[in-house]
Amino acid sequence: MQAVSGAALIAGISQAEALSKLAGRISLLLFLTAMAVALIVAVFAVHWKHQYKMWDVKAAAADNQDEMLLRSKRSGWYLVAMRRAMWVSLISIALGFIQLLVFLWIIGLRAVTV
C-alpha cells in the first residue's frame, strides 16, 4: 500500500500540469489528497504491526496471568488498528483512482462535444 500510494503521489505531483489539463484542478487535488491519506495511513499500519508483534511476544513472555492479559489486550488493540488502517488505505487508493478516472471521462467527453 505504501508503494502504490507513494508512487501514485509522486507520479501525480510530477505530472500535475498534464493531469490538471486532462482531469481538472479539483480532480488532481482530490487524487493527490487521497494518495497522501493512503500513504500516511499505510505508514501507521506498519507501525501498528510492529507494536502488535512486540506486545504479542511480550504477552507470551509474561511472568503472571494479569500481566499476560494486559499485554494481550494491547496486542489485540494494535492488531485491530493495523487491520482498519489497511482497509482505510485500500479504500483511499481505490477512491482516488476511481474519481480520477471519472473526471477524465467527464472532461474528455465534454471536450469532444464542444
Side-chain angles (χ1 to χ4, degrees), residues 21-23 101-114:
K21 287 179 184 174
L22 291 172
L101 288 173
V102 167
F103 273 78
L104 283 169
W105 272 94
I106 291 171
I107 292 179
L109 290 175
R110 190 182 309 155
V112 171
T113 59
V114 171

Side-chain angles (χ1 to χ4, degrees), residues 15-58:
Q15 297 296 320
E17 187 176 336
L19 281 175
S20 180
K21 287 179 184 174
L22 291 172
R25 183 175 289 154
I26 292 174
S27 176
L28 174 64
L29 292 174
L30 289 172
F31 176 73
L32 293 177
T33 301
M35 293 307 115
V37 167
L39 180 59
I40 291 166
V41 173
V43 169
F44 273 110
V46 170
H47 172 68
W48 290 331
K49 180 181 180 183
H50 171 268
Q51 292 296 102
Y52 151 70
K53 293 300 288 176
M54 180 184 73
W55 286 109
D56 189 48
V57 169
K58 284 185 174 190

Side-chain angles (χ1 to χ4, degrees), residues 39-114:
L39 180 59
I40 291 166
V41 173
V43 169
F44 273 110
V46 170
H47 172 68
W48 290 331
K49 180 181 180 183
H50 171 268
Q51 292 296 102
Y52 151 70
K53 293 300 288 176
M54 180 184 73
W55 286 109
D56 189 48
V57 169
K58 284 185 174 190
D63 293 335
N64 60 44
Q65 189 72 15
D66 292 336
E67 193 174 343
M68 185 194 75
L69 289 174
L70 176 66
R71 291 175 178 182
S72 291
K73 186 182 275 188
R74 285 185 182 167
S75 172
W77 186 91
Y78 284 116
L79 178 62
V80 169
M82 176 195 69
R83 288 177 176 168
R84 288 182 181 165
M86 289 172 63
W87 274 108
V88 169
S89 183
L90 177 67
I91 290 168
S92 182
I93 290 169
L95 289 177
F97 279 109
I98 289 169
Q99 74 80 27
L100 183 64
L101 288 173
V102 167
F103 273 78
L104 283 169
W105 272 94
I106 291 171
I107 292 179
L109 290 175
R110 190 182 309 155
V112 171
T113 59
V114 171

